[in-house]
Amino acid sequence: MLSMEDNVFVIILTGEFIIGMLGNVYIGLVNWIDWIKKKKISSVDYILTSLAISRICLLCILILNGIIMVCYPDFYENGKLQAVINIFWTLTNYLSTWFATCFNVFYLLKIANFSHPLFLWLKRRIDRVIHWVLLGCLAMSSLISLILATAPNYDFEFQKIINHKRNCTEIFYVSKSQYFSLLTLFNLLAIAPCAVSLISFFLLIMSLRRHIQQMKVSVTGCGDPSTEAHVGAMKTMTSFLFLLFVYYGASLLATFHYLMKESKLAVMLGEIIAILYPSGHSLILIIRNNKLRQASIRVLRFGRTVCMM
């Protein structure tokens, strides 16, 4: 029977899951309907749809892992279950992070203004190669997950951690010498897309600064569409980076919960915080995207009309 704290955890996690699923399904559905109507899809909609699908899968993995670890810990007596979940988490986590990074780079190339030949070359070709870039992200994420899945004695290492979870010294040794070298090492590779997003953010700041200086010289003011586009993109990137860093911090907390005195509480807190990333950022994307925002307003108006009938 679940305790009160378990019930509170399940309620909060389920609420976050529902909000995240509704947001991501909404993004995918709106872009899919628009694709059918126009018989084509823009690059930004293609990225957002791919991102929404990856986050739907990520949300499913997160809530499954959280509920099992807290409410049904005996299921993890067989290390293979934990290994399988972490392999799928690695796949969906990489896809979500790389697709979001592609979204940030796309907006940088569309909004920023630099005269560097490489930047201009990328700017001209971004719409033509975006499909191949996303396929490359999928291939790379799948390859990393496949390597993790075929690593020798991977599920045995999880079992070893479970069997020795009462011995703090041995736990630390196992996690440091084996577990860290596999799952954690692979997920530390996510620093790469984070670094790309950070670079995109700073380049956008530089572009905005140069643009404002040019506007001051021409005495036309700063309230122009280009400035607004820069600021809007920076707000979206800032929210993404903040939620991403919080997400990875919470994931590390949940991953190494067995090293802490209150391990169950650490798992609960880590899972609740982690799920804010795929849920919260999708809602921010809906608010920042004009088409998605307008569609949501129409849906709300329709829902209000139906309720009044």
Side-chain angles (χ1 to χ4, degrees):
M1 187 172 179
L2 299 180
S3 63
M4 182 177 179
E5 63 178 14
D6 291 340
N7 290 325
V8 172
F9 168 76
V10 172
I11 291 173
I12 295 176
L13 202 68
T14 303
E16 291 180 319
F17 172 76
I18 292 173
I19 293 173
M21 288 294 287
L22 288 175
N24 285 289
V25 169
Y26 172 79
I27 291 174
L29 191 61
V30 169
N31 289 327
W32 180 69
I33 293 174
D34 191 59
W35 188 0
I36 293 177
K37 287 182 178 180
K38 297 180 179 179
K39 306 297 181 182
K40 63 179 182 179
I41 186 170
S42 64
S43 297
V44 64
D45 290 344
Y46 189 69
I47 298 173
L48 285 175
T49 303
S50 301
L51 179 59
I53 294 173
S54 68
R55 283 181 171 169
I56 288 172
C57 299
L58 178 60
L59 282 165
C60 293
I61 294 296
L62 287 174
I63 192 170
L64 176 64
N65 184 64
I67 290 178
I68 290 178
M69 289 185 72
V70 172
C71 303
Y72 308 100
D74 292 341
F75 282 18
Y76 278 153
E77 288 299 322
N78 183 352
K80 290 184 177 179
L81 177 60
Q82 177 79 57
V84 169
I85 289 179
N86 277 281
I87 288 167
F88 278 102
W89 178 79
T90 301
L91 174 62
T92 56
N93 178 58
Y94 265 91
L95 283 176
S96 174
T97 306
W98 272 114
F99 287 164
T101 300
C102 290
F103 178 79
N104 293 334
V105 174
F106 178 84
Y107 263 94
L108 169 69
L109 294 173
K110 287 294 183 180
I111 295 173
N113 293 305
F114 293 103
S115 57
H116 193 279
L118 178 60
F119 182 86
L120 295 176
W121 183 84
L122 291 171
K123 191 180 184 73
R124 288 193 298 267
R125 288 165 175 77
I126 184 63
D127 287 311
R128 284 179 285 178
V129 302
I130 192 63
H131 306 291
W132 295 106
V133 171
L134 295 181
L135 286 175
C137 295
L138 176 60
M140 181 175 57
S141 302
S142 301
L143 178 62
I144 292 174
S145 300
L146 182 62
I147 294 173
L148 185 62
T150 56
N153 300 323
Y154 177 63
D155 58 332
F156 173 74
E157 290 167 8
F158 274 106
Q159 186 63 47
K160 196 171 182 181
I161 292 172
I162 292 171
N163 292 338
H164 295 88
K165 60 185 178 180
R166 296 183 184 276
N167 188 328
C168 296
T169 303
E170 199 159 359
I171 288 173
F172 186 76
Y173 173 76
V174 172
S175 65
K176 185 177 180 180
S177 64
Q178 296 176 344
Y179 183 69
F180 179 84
S181 64
L182 289 173
L183 178 64
T184 309
L185 180 60
F186 277 119
N187 288 307
L188 282 176
L189 295 176
I191 292 175
C194 295
V196 173
S197 292
L198 274 173
I199 292 171
S200 300
F201 178 73
F202 287 120
L203 287 176
L204 201 61
I205 293 176
M206 291 174 58
S207 177
L208 176 61
R209 182 179 178 184
R210 290 179 55 186
H211 176 71
I212 291 177
Q213 289 176 346
Q214 292 174 358
M215 296 299 291
K216 287 181 178 179
V217 171
S218 60
V219 200
T220 57
C222 300
D224 63 299
S226 180
T227 302
E228 294 176 1
H230 275 80
V231 174
M234 287 173 57
K235 289 180 179 179
T236 304
M237 285 190 190
T238 301
S239 62
F240 164 72
L241 291 170
F242 173 76
L243 289 172
L244 185 65
F245 291 139
V246 170
Y247 167 72
Y248 274 110
S251 298
L252 288 174
L253 178 65
T255 299
F256 295 103
H257 66 279
Y258 48 82
L259 298 176
M260 303 176 187
K261 186 177 180 180
E262 298 292 338
S263 61
K264 187 175 181 179
L265 183 60
V267 172
M268 290 180 174
L269 184 61
E271 291 292 333
I272 289 174
I273 296 175
I275 208 170
L276 288 174
Y277 160 64
S279 300
H281 187 243
S282 298
L283 295 179
I284 292 172
L285 290 176
I286 293 174
I287 296 173
R288 300 301 309 174
N289 185 280
N290 185 58
K291 182 178 74 173
L292 295 174
R293 186 174 63 253
Q294 293 300 323
S296 65
I297 293 174
R298 290 194 296 269
V299 170
L300 291 174
R301 288 176 178 173
F302 176 76
R304 185 183 301 175
T305 303
V306 172
C307 292
M308 293 176 63
M309 292 177 61

